Amino acid sequence: MARKKILVTGGAGFIGGNFVQYMVNKYPAYDVYNLDVLTYAGDLTKHRNIENKDNYFFVKADIVDRGTIISLFEKEQFDYVVHLAAESHVDRSITDPGVFVRTNVLGTQVLLDASKHINVTKFVHVSTDEVYGELDFDPTTFFTEDTPLQPNSPYSASKASSDLLVRAYYETYGLPMNITRCSNNYGPYHFPEKLIPLTISRLLNDEKVPIYGDGKNIRDWLHVWDHCKAVDLVMHEGREGEIYNVGGHNERTNLEVVKTIMTILSKSEDLIEFVPDRLGHDKRYAIDPTKLENLGWKPTYTFENGIGQTILWYLDNKQWWENILSGEYQDYFINQYTIKNAKNC
Ligand code: NAD
Ligand code: DAU
């Protein structure tokens, strides 16, 4: 039987990186191609353990570069495309929306054209629950796959636009596809600009943790390895043309998340610094994952054991995040939090 070729875009990033590792190790009979342009969020050191494996390949390319992408698809004839490459940070989208439209919308369209061109078996588009907008604080309400799209940030608007393009390529050209919409991920190799790794890395350096607004906004946290399992299942078993929400019913306020990490690390709550709110800050996200559960998915991590494992990982991998904090990230951090008048952070 011919080996399957899987193209993973954004495989040098947080979720893509975990997904590449998962696929390379779980499926020796698949050739896994990691395509990434290596923005500030992409890093290949995470793949040192697999870089010499026969079933792992890296391609440095920009998904917006149509000529390169079409040639690559013609040459490699991928069976599956799992699309994770994106600009992913909401705060950055508020200061510079243009690059989000470029990568998330135009880049997705290029990949769709290339996938249609060679008739891939399936295009799996990894999207986000943020396309649904926000929920209020009523704990009985959840995002379902039928919730209307009402994105509030430039990031989520660019993701919603890409979702609509994927849908249109299915409806118009019959391109086989699935869309997954996941809640907030956390786990190993999470870039320290996002709440959980930012909190862990700053606490380990005894630095203040910035909390936007009153800290009562709610996110629904999912361990990244449970997300990888979900994408694998949808890629193999998802019904063509369908959307699947991914989430594990782990709702926490931001304040609860930060205090939990403080307790585990035995750090004082005096390190909390309330800073001005994010513009257009979505109140609450919460996923109803019933459709995916009916396909056979079940998360393995509770928030309690997942956050413990994640904190241990950051303790064991200080070198990885310290390298990131010592680079251009410094400028980003000063700019982001000085704008908000949080000079003590
Ligand atoms: P990330 O920012 O950690 O990684 C993104 C990767 O994409 C990086 O390696 C980057 O170099 C690459 N990339 C960016 N622009 C590119 C381009 N033009 N061409 C090629 N590669 C490019 O992101 P993440 O948090 O791992 O998110 C991955 C995907 O999952 C995104 O599509 C995001 O919208 C979605 N998602 C993320 C979360 C979350 O909690 N992090 C939740 C739901 C969905
Ligand atoms: O819901 C899925 C989304 O989750 C993904 O699509 C995004 O790519 C991912 O970045 C994430 O978006 P959020 O905006 O929810 O994640 P972030 O870690 O940036 O923020 C989580 C919450 O913490 C949010 O309510 C804002 C708050 N926050 C964040 C930062 C960085 C703070 O209070 N202080 C901070 O310094």
Side-chain angles (χ1 to χ4, degrees):
M1 201 175 74
R3 294 175 69 80
K4 297 268 183 240
K5 284 192 182 184
I6 321 290
L7 178 72
V8 179
T9 70
F14 164 47
I15 303 172
N18 279 285
F19 186 68
V20 162
Q21 292 273 332
Y22 170 97
M23 295 299 280
V24 165
N25 291 317
K26 180 168 177 191
Y27 297 107
Y30 289 179
D31 286 337
V32 179
Y33 288 70
N34 168 12
L35 184 150
D36 201 297
V37 79
L38 302 179
T39 66
Y40 77 94
D43 127 81
L44 285 179
T45 62
K46 57 175 65 101
H47 293 317
R48 283 208 181 114
N49 61 328
I50 55 167
E51 66 192 7
N52 293 322
K53 287 207 172 209
D54 291 342
N55 68 334
Y56 172 70
F57 305 86
F58 175 67
V59 183
K60 185 169 191 293
D62 184 343
I63 56 169
V64 181
D65 179 354
R66 179 173 289 274
T68 301
I69 296 295
I70 299 278
S71 306
L72 177 75
F73 275 59
E74 283 176 347
K75 177 163 170 268
E76 300 297 348
Q77 296 292 317
F78 300 114
D79 296 287
Y80 292 93
V81 176
V82 181
H83 176 34
L84 297 111
E87 289 295 333
S88 68
H89 192 34
V90 172
D91 290 328
R92 288 182 189 256
S93 84
I94 293 167
T95 27
D96 183 13
V99 67
F100 284 73
V101 174
R102 178 187 184 278
T103 297
N104 300 357
V105 185
L106 298 179
T108 301
Q109 193 224 337
V110 168
L111 290 169
L112 288 167
D113 280 341
S115 301
K116 170 164 89 69
H117 181 58
I118 65 160
N119 292 319
V120 297
T121 304
K122 193 186 271 184
F123 186 96
V124 181
H125 180 58
V126 177
S127 190
T128 168
D129 59 358
E130 295 198 17
V131 299
Y132 298 123
E134 65 177 358
L135 295 165
D136 62 24
F137 292 113
D138 172 358
T140 62
T141 57
F142 299 96
F143 294 136
T144 72
E145 289 78 3
D146 296 324
T147 302
L149 302 190
Q150 284 188 319
N152 291 319
S153 72
Y155 161 69
S156 51
S158 69
K159 290 296 291 186
S161 307
S162 63
D163 287 21
L164 294 179
L165 278 171
V166 176
R167 182 180 180 280
Y169 274 62
Y170 172 69
E171 294 292 337
T172 304
Y173 307 113
L175 178 74
M177 67 78 172
N178 288 121
I179 296 173
T180 60
R181 295 186 178 140
C182 190
S183 61
N184 285 61
N185 284 218
Y186 68 99
Y189 293 113
H190 202 181
F191 196 86
E193 65 189 349
K194 311 278 171 65
L195 181 68
I196 286 183
L198 178 101
T199 301
I200 299 172
S201 57
R202 288 189 70 79
L203 289 179
L204 288 176
N205 286 333
D206 287 313
E207 292 167 325
K208 295 221 171 203
V209 177
I211 295 194
Y212 298 158
D214 59 11
K216 292 192 178 141
N217 302 60
I218 291 175
R219 296 293 181 264
D220 185 356
W221 294 97
L222 186 75
H223 194 282
V224 64
W225 295 346
D226 281 328
H227 187 187
C228 291
K229 280 171 50 185
V231 174
D232 175 13
L233 179 68
V234 169
M235 180 184 125
H236 287 100
E237 309 285 342
R239 268 190 51 208
E240 211 170 275
E242 295 286 319
I243 295 166
Y244 294 92
N245 284 352
V246 191
H249 287 300
N250 286 306
E251 288 185 53
R252 299 284 184 287
T253 66
N254 295 335
L255 211 46
E256 283 169 341
V257 168
V258 170
K259 285 184 178 175
T260 300
I261 299 171
M262 287 177 153
T263 304
I264 295 173
L265 288 175
S266 303
K267 299 287 179 184
S268 160
E269 290 185 9
D270 292 346
L271 286 173
I272 289 175
E273 174 105 10
F274 288 96
V275 302
D277 213 349
R278 174 185 277 176
L279 297 178
H281 196 172
D282 285 337
K283 285 200 269 296
R284 173 172 166 257
Y285 306 142
I287 286 278
D288 175 355
T290 307
K291 185 172 171 183
L292 187 64
E293 285 170 352
N294 289 340
L295 199 66
W297 177 81
K298 208 164 56 164
T300 45
Y301 284 92
T302 61
F303 186 70
E304 282 63 36
N305 57 35
I307 197 68
Q309 179 258 18
T310 301
I311 290 171
L312 279 179
W313 187 90
Y314 278 81
L315 280 164
D316 288 344
N317 292 273
K318 219 166 173 230
Q319 188 76 59
W320 178 79
W321 54 266
E322 278 185 344
N323 280 348
I324 288 168
L325 299 187
S326 66
E328 129 198 12
Y329 178 84
Q330 287 289 335
D331 297 338
Y332 163 77
F333 191 86
I334 291 164
N335 197 30
Q336 171 67 15
Y337 294 97
T338 308
I339 287 169
K340 292 172 189 298
N341 254 343
K343 295 195 178 66
N344 292 336
C345 292

